[in-house]
PDB file of all heavy atoms in Angstrom:
ATOM      1  N   ASP D   1      15.741   0.578  -4.540  1.00  0.00           N
ATOM      2  CA  ASP D   1      16.912  -0.258  -4.823  1.00  0.00           C
ATOM      3  C   ASP D   1      18.181   0.590  -4.863  1.00  0.00           C
ATOM      4  O   ASP D   1      19.231   0.187  -4.357  1.00  0.00           O
ATOM      5  CB  ASP D   1      16.733  -0.988  -6.158  1.00  0.00           C
ATOM      6  CG  ASP D   1      15.686  -2.097  -6.083  1.00  0.00           C
ATOM      7  OD1 ASP D   1      15.328  -2.493  -4.961  1.00  0.00           O
ATOM      8  OD2 ASP D   1      15.225  -2.551  -7.149  1.00  0.00           O
ATOM      9  N   ALA D   2      18.085   1.783  -5.469  1.00  0.00           N
ATOM     10  CA  ALA D   2      19.244   2.663  -5.557  1.00  0.00           C
ATOM     11  C   ALA D   2      19.682   3.130  -4.169  1.00  0.00           C
ATOM     12  O   ALA D   2      20.880   3.196  -3.865  1.00  0.00           O
ATOM     13  CB  ALA D   2      18.916   3.873  -6.435  1.00  0.00           C
ATOM     14  N   CYS D   3      18.721   3.437  -3.307  1.00  0.00           N
ATOM     15  CA  CYS D   3      19.059   3.876  -1.950  1.00  0.00           C
ATOM     16  C   CYS D   3      19.708   2.756  -1.149  1.00  0.00           C
ATOM     17  O   CYS D   3      20.653   2.993  -0.385  1.00  0.00           O
ATOM     18  CB  CYS D   3      17.801   4.380  -1.237  1.00  0.00           C
ATOM     19  SG  CYS D   3      17.211   5.994  -1.797  1.00  0.00           S
ATOM     20  N   ARG D   4      19.223   1.549  -1.333  1.00  0.00           N
ATOM     21  CA  ARG D   4      19.840   0.416  -0.626  1.00  0.00           C
ATOM     22  C   ARG D   4      21.269   0.203  -1.098  1.00  0.00           C
ATOM     23  O   ARG D   4      22.141  -0.172  -0.322  1.00  0.00           O
ATOM     24  CB  ARG D   4      19.012  -0.849  -0.857  1.00  0.00           C
ATOM     25  CG  ARG D   4      17.647  -0.839  -0.175  1.00  0.00           C
ATOM     26  CD  ARG D   4      16.975  -2.205  -0.262  1.00  0.00           C
ATOM     27  NE  ARG D   4      15.658  -2.196   0.374  1.00  0.00           N
ATOM     28  CZ  ARG D   4      14.517  -2.090  -0.278  1.00  0.00           C
ATOM     29  NH1 ARG D   4      14.524  -2.014  -1.617  1.00  0.00           N
ATOM     30  NH2 ARG D   4      13.366  -2.066   0.360  1.00  0.00           N
ATOM     31  N   ARG D   5      21.508   0.454  -2.359  1.00  0.00           N
ATOM     32  CA  ARG D   5      22.842   0.251  -2.930  1.00  0.00           C
ATOM     33  C   ARG D   5      23.800   1.393  -2.586  1.00  0.00           C
ATOM     34  O   ARG D   5      24.961   1.170  -2.235  1.00  0.00           O
ATOM     35  CB  ARG D   5      22.735   0.094  -4.450  1.00  0.00           C
ATOM     36  CG  ARG D   5      24.056  -0.250  -5.138  1.00  0.00           C
ATOM     37  CD  ARG D   5      23.857  -0.522  -6.609  1.00  0.00           C
ATOM     38  NE  ARG D   5      23.457   0.666  -7.353  1.00  0.00           N
ATOM     39  CZ  ARG D   5      22.234   0.919  -7.793  1.00  0.00           C
ATOM     40  NH1 ARG D   5      21.250   0.050  -7.555  1.00  0.00           N
ATOM     41  NH2 ARG D   5      21.949   2.009  -8.467  1.00  0.00           N
ATOM     42  N   LEU D   6      23.317   2.629  -2.677  1.00  0.00           N
ATOM     43  CA  LEU D   6      24.170   3.804  -2.485  1.00  0.00           C
ATOM     44  C   LEU D   6      24.260   4.269  -1.036  1.00  0.00           C
ATOM     45  O   LEU D   6      25.205   4.966  -0.673  1.00  0.00           O
ATOM     46  CB  LEU D   6      23.653   4.963  -3.348  1.00  0.00           C
ATOM     47  CG  LEU D   6      23.664   4.725  -4.857  1.00  0.00           C
ATOM     48  CD1 LEU D   6      22.959   5.866  -5.575  1.00  0.00           C
ATOM     49  CD2 LEU D   6      25.089   4.571  -5.365  1.00  0.00           C
ATOM     50  N   ARG D   7      23.257   3.933  -0.237  1.00  0.00           N
ATOM     51  CA  ARG D   7      23.201   4.358   1.156  1.00  0.00           C
ATOM     52  C   ARG D   7      23.435   5.863   1.286  1.00  0.00           C
ATOM     53  O   ARG D   7      24.416   6.308   1.889  1.00  0.00           O
ATOM     54  CB  ARG D   7      24.214   3.582   1.991  1.00  0.00           C
ATOM     55  CG  ARG D   7      23.936   2.083   2.021  1.00  0.00           C
ATOM     56  CD  ARG D   7      24.874   1.334   2.934  1.00  0.00           C
ATOM     57  NE  ARG D   7      24.572  -0.089   2.970  1.00  0.00           N
ATOM     58  CZ  ARG D   7      25.222  -0.974   3.710  1.00  0.00           C
ATOM     59  NH1 ARG D   7      26.226  -0.590   4.480  1.00  0.00           N
ATOM     60  NH2 ARG D   7      24.865  -2.244   3.675  1.00  0.00           N
ATOM     61  N   PRO D   8      22.566   6.666   0.744  1.00  0.00           N
ATOM     62  CA  PRO D   8      22.767   8.126   0.751  1.00  0.00           C
ATOM     63  C   PRO D   8      22.667   8.715   2.156  1.00  0.00           C
ATOM     64  O   PRO D   8      21.936   8.199   3.018  1.00  0.00           O
ATOM     65  CB  PRO D   8      21.623   8.633  -0.133  1.00  0.00           C
ATOM     66  CG  PRO D   8      20.552   7.616   0.041  1.00  0.00           C
ATOM     67  CD  PRO D   8      21.282   6.292   0.115  1.00  0.00           C
ATOM     68  N   GLU D   9      23.401   9.781   2.373  1.00  0.00           N
ATOM     69  CA  GLU D   9      23.306  10.510   3.630  1.00  0.00           C
ATOM     70  C   GLU D   9      22.124  11.474   3.600  1.00  0.00           C
ATOM     71  O   GLU D   9      21.610  11.863   4.651  1.00  0.00           O
ATOM     72  CB  GLU D   9      24.596  11.288   3.881  1.00  0.00           C
ATOM     73  CG  GLU D   9      25.826  10.410   4.034  1.00  0.00           C
ATOM     74  CD  GLU D   9      27.087  11.238   4.202  1.00  0.00           C
ATOM     75  OE1 GLU D   9      27.039  12.257   4.914  1.00  0.00           O
ATOM     76  OE2 GLU D   9      28.106  10.887   3.610  1.00  0.00           O
ATOM     77  N   LEU D  10      21.707  11.833   2.404  1.00  0.00           N
ATOM     78  CA  LEU D  10      20.608  12.780   2.255  1.00  0.00           C
ATOM     79  C   LEU D  10      19.776  12.431   1.030  1.00  0.00           C
ATOM     80  O   LEU D  10      20.325  12.176  -0.042  1.00  0.00           O
ATOM     81  CB  LEU D  10      21.160  14.207   2.101  1.00  0.00           C
ATOM     82  CG  LEU D  10      20.170  15.313   1.724  1.00  0.00           C
ATOM     83  CD1 LEU D  10      19.157  15.536   2.840  1.00  0.00           C
ATOM     84  CD2 LEU D  10      20.903  16.598   1.387  1.00  0.00           C
ATOM     85  N   PHE D  11      18.460  12.426   1.195  1.00  0.00           N
ATOM     86  CA  PHE D  11      17.531  12.217   0.085  1.00  0.00           C
ATOM     87  C   PHE D  11      16.771  13.520  -0.119  1.00  0.00           C
ATOM     88  O   PHE D  11      16.158  14.046   0.817  1.00  0.00           O
ATOM     89  CB  PHE D  11      16.562  11.081   0.405  1.00  0.00           C
ATOM     90  CG  PHE D  11      15.572  10.794  -0.691  1.00  0.00           C
ATOM     91  CD1 PHE D  11      15.896   9.925  -1.721  1.00  0.00           C
ATOM     92  CD2 PHE D  11      14.328  11.393  -0.706  1.00  0.00           C
ATOM     93  CE1 PHE D  11      14.991   9.647  -2.743  1.00  0.00           C
ATOM     94  CE2 PHE D  11      13.417  11.127  -1.715  1.00  0.00           C
ATOM     95  CZ  PHE D  11      13.752  10.259  -2.741  1.00  0.00           C
ATOM     96  N   VAL D  12      16.823  14.059  -1.336  1.00  0.00           N
ATOM     97  CA  VAL D  12      16.158  15.326  -1.638  1.00  0.00           C
ATOM     98  C   VAL D  12      14.978  15.064  -2.562  1.00  0.00           C
ATOM     99  O   VAL D  12      15.149  14.542  -3.661  1.00  0.00           O
ATOM    100  CB  VAL D  12      17.135  16.334  -2.291  1.00  0.00           C
ATOM    101  CG1 VAL D  12      16.429  17.665  -2.533  1.00  0.00           C
ATOM    102  CG2 VAL D  12      18.356  16.539  -1.409  1.00  0.00           C
ATOM    103  N   ASP D  13      13.799  15.418  -2.108  1.00  0.00           N
ATOM    104  CA  ASP D  13      12.556  15.210  -2.845  1.00  0.00           C
ATOM    105  C   ASP D  13      12.098  16.564  -3.385  1.00  0.00           C
ATOM    106  O   ASP D  13      11.505  17.370  -2.671  1.00  0.00           O
ATOM    107  CB  ASP D  13      11.515  14.617  -1.896  1.00  0.00           C
ATOM    108  CG  ASP D  13      10.282  14.089  -2.617  1.00  0.00           C
ATOM    109  OD1 ASP D  13      10.176  14.294  -3.830  1.00  0.00           O
ATOM    110  OD2 ASP D  13       9.433  13.468  -1.943  1.00  0.00           O
ATOM    111  N   VAL D  14      12.377  16.825  -4.658  1.00  0.00           N
ATOM    112  CA  VAL D  14      12.032  18.106  -5.286  1.00  0.00           C
ATOM    113  C   VAL D  14      10.645  18.009  -5.905  1.00  0.00           C
ATOM    114  O   VAL D  14      10.389  17.159  -6.738  1.00  0.00           O
ATOM    115  CB  VAL D  14      13.069  18.486  -6.371  1.00  0.00           C
ATOM    116  CG1 VAL D  14      12.671  19.791  -7.050  1.00  0.00           C
ATOM    117  CG2 VAL D  14      14.454  18.612  -5.756  1.00  0.00           C
ATOM    118  N   GLY D  15       9.771  18.911  -5.516  1.00  0.00           N
ATOM    119  CA  GLY D  15       8.380  18.820  -5.952  1.00  0.00           C
ATOM    120  C   GLY D  15       7.729  17.640  -5.260  1.00  0.00           C
ATOM    121  O   GLY D  15       7.169  16.749  -5.886  1.00  0.00           O
ATOM    122  N   ALA D  16       7.807  17.614  -3.925  1.00  0.00           N
ATOM    123  CA  ALA D  16       7.400  16.434  -3.144  1.00  0.00           C
ATOM    124  C   ALA D  16       5.915  16.143  -3.233  1.00  0.00           C
ATOM    125  O   ALA D  16       5.482  15.017  -2.976  1.00  0.00           O
ATOM    126  CB  ALA D  16       7.802  16.629  -1.678  1.00  0.00           C
ATOM    127  N   TYR D  17       5.104  17.130  -3.550  1.00  0.00           N
ATOM    128  CA  TYR D  17       3.648  17.015  -3.636  1.00  0.00           C
ATOM    129  C   TYR D  17       3.075  16.459  -2.332  1.00  0.00           C
ATOM    130  O   TYR D  17       3.195  17.085  -1.287  1.00  0.00           O
ATOM    131  CB  TYR D  17       3.249  16.188  -4.851  1.00  0.00           C
ATOM    132  CG  TYR D  17       1.742  16.182  -5.108  1.00  0.00           C
ATOM    133  CD1 TYR D  17       0.986  17.338  -4.917  1.00  0.00           C
ATOM    134  CD2 TYR D  17       1.086  15.029  -5.503  1.00  0.00           C
ATOM    135  CE1 TYR D  17      -0.383  17.334  -5.118  1.00  0.00           C
ATOM    136  CE2 TYR D  17      -0.288  15.024  -5.718  1.00  0.00           C
ATOM    137  CZ  TYR D  17      -1.011  16.179  -5.518  1.00  0.00           C
ATOM    138  OH  TYR D  17      -2.366  16.171  -5.708  1.00  0.00           O
ATOM    139  N   LEU D  18       2.475  15.285  -2.337  1.00  0.00           N
ATOM    140  CA  LEU D  18       1.875  14.762  -1.108  1.00  0.00           C
ATOM    141  C   LEU D  18       2.873  13.995  -0.244  1.00  0.00           C
ATOM    142  O   LEU D  18       2.520  13.447   0.791  1.00  0.00           O
ATOM    143  CB  LEU D  18       0.652  13.897  -1.421  1.00  0.00           C
ATOM    144  CG  LEU D  18       0.759  12.749  -2.445  1.00  0.00           C
ATOM    145  CD1 LEU D  18       1.412  11.538  -1.819  1.00  0.00           C
ATOM    146  CD2 LEU D  18      -0.620  12.396  -2.965  1.00  0.00           C
ATOM    147  N   GLY D  19       4.143  13.951  -0.682  1.00  0.00           N
ATOM    148  CA  GLY D  19       5.186  13.337   0.122  1.00  0.00           C
ATOM    149  C   GLY D  19       5.350  11.841  -0.060  1.00  0.00           C
ATOM    150  O   GLY D  19       5.922  11.166   0.800  1.00  0.00           O
ATOM    151  N   LEU D  20       4.890  11.315  -1.188  1.00  0.00           N
ATOM    152  CA  LEU D  20       4.951   9.869  -1.413  1.00  0.00           C
ATOM    153  C   LEU D  20       6.381   9.344  -1.299  1.00  0.00           C
ATOM    154  O   LEU D  20       6.660   8.416  -0.526  1.00  0.00           O
ATOM    155  CB  LEU D  20       4.373   9.535  -2.784  1.00  0.00           C
ATOM    156  CG  LEU D  20       4.532   8.088  -3.258  1.00  0.00           C
ATOM    157  CD1 LEU D  20       3.830   7.128  -2.313  1.00  0.00           C
ATOM    158  CD2 LEU D  20       3.994   7.920  -4.684  1.00  0.00           C
ATOM    159  N   TYR D  21       7.305   9.905  -2.081  1.00  0.00           N
ATOM    160  CA  TYR D  21       8.683   9.409  -2.072  1.00  0.00           C
ATOM    161  C   TYR D  21       9.333   9.613  -0.708  1.00  0.00           C
ATOM    162  O   TYR D  21      10.013   8.728  -0.186  1.00  0.00           O
ATOM    163  CB  TYR D  21       9.502  10.104  -3.160  1.00  0.00           C
ATOM    164  CG  TYR D  21       9.321   9.512  -4.535  1.00  0.00           C
ATOM    165  CD1 TYR D  21       8.182   9.789  -5.281  1.00  0.00           C
ATOM    166  CD2 TYR D  21      10.276   8.673  -5.102  1.00  0.00           C
ATOM    167  CE1 TYR D  21       7.994   9.242  -6.536  1.00  0.00           C
ATOM    168  CE2 TYR D  21      10.109   8.123  -6.363  1.00  0.00           C
ATOM    169  CZ  TYR D  21       8.962   8.411  -7.078  1.00  0.00           C
ATOM    170  OH  TYR D  21       8.780   7.872  -8.330  1.00  0.00           O
ATOM    171  N   SER D  22       9.125  10.778  -0.110  1.00  0.00           N
ATOM    172  CA  SER D  22       9.731  11.051   1.197  1.00  0.00           C
ATOM    173  C   SER D  22       9.227  10.074   2.246  1.00  0.00           C
ATOM    174  O   SER D  22      10.008   9.563   3.068  1.00  0.00           O
ATOM    175  CB  SER D  22       9.408  12.492   1.629  1.00  0.00           C
ATOM    176  OG  SER D  22      10.043  13.431   0.800  1.00  0.00           O
ATOM    177  N   CYS D  23       7.933   9.801   2.240  1.00  0.00           N
ATOM    178  CA  CYS D  23       7.354   8.905   3.236  1.00  0.00           C
ATOM    179  C   CYS D  23       7.781   7.459   3.022  1.00  0.00           C
ATOM    180  O   CYS D  23       8.032   6.718   3.983  1.00  0.00           O
ATOM    181  CB  CYS D  23       5.830   9.017   3.227  1.00  0.00           C
ATOM    182  SG  CYS D  23       5.217  10.599   3.880  1.00  0.00           S
ATOM    183  N   VAL D  24       7.879   7.037   1.763  1.00  0.00           N
ATOM    184  CA  VAL D  24       8.309   5.660   1.481  1.00  0.00           C
ATOM    185  C   VAL D  24       9.778   5.474   1.876  1.00  0.00           C
ATOM    186  O   VAL D  24      10.137   4.492   2.549  1.00  0.00           O
ATOM    187  CB  VAL D  24       8.099   5.315  -0.009  1.00  0.00           C
ATOM    188  CG1 VAL D  24       8.792   3.992  -0.363  1.00  0.00           C
ATOM    189  CG2 VAL D  24       6.607   5.217  -0.324  1.00  0.00           C
ATOM    190  N   ILE D  25      10.624   6.418   1.473  1.00  0.00           N
ATOM    191  CA  ILE D  25      12.053   6.325   1.825  1.00  0.00           C
ATOM    192  C   ILE D  25      12.227   6.394   3.332  1.00  0.00           C
ATOM    193  O   ILE D  25      13.011   5.655   3.925  1.00  0.00           O
ATOM    194  CB  ILE D  25      12.844   7.455   1.134  1.00  0.00           C
ATOM    195  CG1 ILE D  25      12.787   7.301  -0.390  1.00  0.00           C
ATOM    196  CG2 ILE D  25      14.300   7.459   1.612  1.00  0.00           C
ATOM    197  CD1 ILE D  25      13.360   6.019  -0.928  1.00  0.00           C
ATOM    198  N   GLY D  26      11.469   7.284   3.982  1.00  0.00           N
ATOM    199  CA  GLY D  26      11.564   7.408   5.431  1.00  0.00           C
ATOM    200  C   GLY D  26      11.039   6.186   6.154  1.00  0.00           C
ATOM    201  O   GLY D  26      11.632   5.734   7.149  1.00  0.00           O
ATOM    202  N   HIS D  27       9.933   5.633   5.678  1.00  0.00           N
ATOM    203  CA  HIS D  27       9.346   4.450   6.315  1.00  0.00           C
ATOM    204  C   HIS D  27      10.323   3.282   6.317  1.00  0.00           C
ATOM    205  O   HIS D  27      10.414   2.542   7.307  1.00  0.00           O
ATOM    206  CB  HIS D  27       8.068   4.058   5.584  1.00  0.00           C
ATOM    207  CG  HIS D  27       7.481   2.754   6.042  1.00  0.00           C
ATOM    208  ND1 HIS D  27       6.767   2.623   7.221  1.00  0.00           N
ATOM    209  CD2 HIS D  27       7.511   1.509   5.470  1.00  0.00           C
ATOM    210  CE1 HIS D  27       6.381   1.374   7.366  1.00  0.00           C
ATOM    211  NE2 HIS D  27       6.817   0.675   6.321  1.00  0.00           N
ATOM    212  N   HIS D  28      11.056   3.118   5.224  1.00  0.00           N
ATOM    213  CA  HIS D  28      12.005   2.015   5.113  1.00  0.00           C
ATOM    214  C   HIS D  28      13.402   2.384   5.622  1.00  0.00           C
ATOM    215  O   HIS D  28      14.327   1.578   5.502  1.00  0.00           O
ATOM    216  CB  HIS D  28      12.083   1.535   3.658  1.00  0.00           C
ATOM    217  CG  HIS D  28      10.826   0.860   3.193  1.00  0.00           C
ATOM    218  ND1 HIS D  28      10.556  -0.466   3.454  1.00  0.00           N
ATOM    219  CD2 HIS D  28       9.759   1.336   2.500  1.00  0.00           C
ATOM    220  CE1 HIS D  28       9.375  -0.791   2.937  1.00  0.00           C
ATOM    221  NE2 HIS D  28       8.868   0.279   2.351  1.00  0.00           N
ATOM    222  N   LYS D  29      13.533   3.622   6.142  1.00  0.00           N
ATOM    223  CA  LYS D  29      14.808   4.081   6.717  1.00  0.00           C
ATOM    224  C   LYS D  29      15.968   3.911   5.738  1.00  0.00           C
ATOM    225  O   LYS D  29      17.038   3.394   6.087  1.00  0.00           O
ATOM    226  CB  LYS D  29      15.090   3.345   8.030  1.00  0.00           C
ATOM    227  CG  LYS D  29      14.059   3.635   9.125  1.00  0.00           C
ATOM    228  CD  LYS D  29      14.371   2.865  10.397  1.00  0.00           C
ATOM    229  CE  LYS D  29      13.460   3.295  11.534  1.00  0.00           C
ATOM    230  NZ  LYS D  29      12.004   3.162  11.234  1.00  0.00           N
ATOM    231  N   LEU D  30      15.736   4.363   4.509  1.00  0.00           N
ATOM    232  CA  LEU D  30      16.749   4.236   3.470  1.00  0.00           C
ATOM    233  C   LEU D  30      17.669   5.451   3.388  1.00  0.00           C
ATOM    234  O   LEU D  30      18.608   5.459   2.592  1.00  0.00           O
ATOM    235  CB  LEU D  30      16.059   4.004   2.113  1.00  0.00           C
ATOM    236  CG  LEU D  30      15.253   2.702   2.018  1.00  0.00           C
ATOM    237  CD1 LEU D  30      14.538   2.607   0.681  1.00  0.00           C
ATOM    238  CD2 LEU D  30      16.164   1.497   2.234  1.00  0.00           C
ATOM    239  N   ALA D  31      17.401   6.468   4.178  1.00  0.00           N
ATOM    240  CA  ALA D  31      18.269   7.647   4.258  1.00  0.00           C
ATOM    241  C   ALA D  31      18.064   8.259   5.639  1.00  0.00           C
ATOM    242  O   ALA D  31      16.923   8.358   6.108  1.00  0.00           O
ATOM    243  CB  ALA D  31      17.926   8.657   3.175  1.00  0.00           C
ATOM    244  N   PRO D  32      19.140   8.673   6.308  1.00  0.00           N
ATOM    245  CA  PRO D  32      18.989   9.231   7.651  1.00  0.00           C
ATOM    246  C   PRO D  32      18.377  10.629   7.666  1.00  0.00           C
ATOM    247  O   PRO D  32      17.831  11.067   8.668  1.00  0.00           O
ATOM    248  CB  PRO D  32      20.427   9.256   8.181  1.00  0.00           C
ATOM    249  CG  PRO D  32      21.270   9.362   6.947  1.00  0.00           C
ATOM    250  CD  PRO D  32      20.544   8.558   5.903  1.00  0.00           C
ATOM    251  N   ARG D  33      18.468  11.320   6.531  1.00  0.00           N
ATOM    252  CA  ARG D  33      17.947  12.687   6.448  1.00  0.00           C
ATOM    253  C   ARG D  33      17.228  12.871   5.121  1.00  0.00           C
ATOM    254  O   ARG D  33      17.737  12.468   4.064  1.00  0.00           O
ATOM    255  CB  ARG D  33      19.090  13.704   6.567  1.00  0.00           C
ATOM    256  CG  ARG D  33      18.650  15.147   6.500  1.00  0.00           C
ATOM    257  CD  ARG D  33      19.859  16.067   6.489  1.00  0.00           C
ATOM    258  NE  ARG D  33      19.486  17.432   6.165  1.00  0.00           N
ATOM    259  CZ  ARG D  33      20.334  18.346   5.668  1.00  0.00           C
ATOM    260  NH1 ARG D  33      21.596  18.015   5.444  1.00  0.00           N
ATOM    261  NH2 ARG D  33      19.920  19.562   5.395  1.00  0.00           N
ATOM    262  N   ILE D  34      16.032  13.448   5.161  1.00  0.00           N
ATOM    263  CA  ILE D  34      15.231  13.667   3.958  1.00  0.00           C
ATOM    264  C   ILE D  34      14.823  15.135   3.898  1.00  0.00           C
ATOM    265  O   ILE D  34      14.334  15.689   4.890  1.00  0.00           O
ATOM    266  CB  ILE D  34      13.976  12.773   3.959  1.00  0.00           C
ATOM    267  CG1 ILE D  34      14.385  11.294   3.971  1.00  0.00           C
ATOM    268  CG2 ILE D  34      13.088  13.069   2.749  1.00  0.00           C
ATOM    269  CD1 ILE D  34      13.220  10.340   4.182  1.00  0.00           C
ATOM    270  N   LEU D  35      15.011  15.743   2.747  1.00  0.00           N
ATOM    271  CA  LEU D  35      14.636  17.133   2.523  1.00  0.00           C
ATOM    272  C   LEU D  35      13.543  17.162   1.463  1.00  0.00           C
ATOM    273  O   LEU D  35      13.775  16.778   0.319  1.00  0.00           O
ATOM    274  CB  LEU D  35      15.856  17.936   2.058  1.00  0.00           C
ATOM    275  CG  LEU D  35      15.697  19.443   1.870  1.00  0.00           C
ATOM    276  CD1 LEU D  35      15.277  20.118   3.171  1.00  0.00           C
ATOM    277  CD2 LEU D  35      17.002  20.045   1.360  1.00  0.00           C
ATOM    278  N   ALA D  36      12.335  17.581   1.847  1.00  0.00           N
ATOM    279  CA  ALA D  36      11.191  17.595   0.931  1.00  0.00           C
ATOM    280  C   ALA D  36      10.814  19.036   0.606  1.00  0.00           C
ATOM    281  O   ALA D  36      10.470  19.810   1.498  1.00  0.00           O
ATOM    282  CB  ALA D  36      10.004  16.871   1.566  1.00  0.00           C
ATOM    283  N   LEU D  37      10.887  19.385  -0.684  1.00  0.00           N
ATOM    284  CA  LEU D  37      10.586  20.746  -1.132  1.00  0.00           C
ATOM    285  C   LEU D  37       9.280  20.763  -1.912  1.00  0.00           C
ATOM    286  O   LEU D  37       9.107  20.006  -2.865  1.00  0.00           O
ATOM    287  CB  LEU D  37      11.713  21.277  -2.026  1.00  0.00           C
ATOM    288  CG  LEU D  37      13.143  21.148  -1.488  1.00  0.00           C
ATOM    289  CD1 LEU D  37      14.117  21.766  -2.483  1.00  0.00           C
ATOM    290  CD2 LEU D  37      13.276  21.781  -0.122  1.00  0.00           C
TER     291      LEU D  37
END
């Protein structure tokens, strides 16, 4: 919901582990660029 509202240019996933947040945000195209650490 926050990504839909803010429309971020970059989503940073700190401690991404198996990539759940990165994959969900990417699947729904809620940020054009994702950085997973």
Side-chain angles (χ1 to χ4, degrees):
D1 289 344
C3 286
R4 291 189 181 100
R5 185 174 67 256
L6 298 172
R7 297 184 179 181
E9 297 177 40
L10 171 66
F11 180 87
V12 183
D13 192 353
V14 178
Y17 188 39
L18 52 79
L20 172 61
Y21 278 77
S22 293
C23 290
V24 169
I25 296 300
H27 172 77
H28 291 277
K29 296 179 172 56
L30 297 176
R33 180 186 169 202
I34 299 171
L35 185 60
L37 310 182

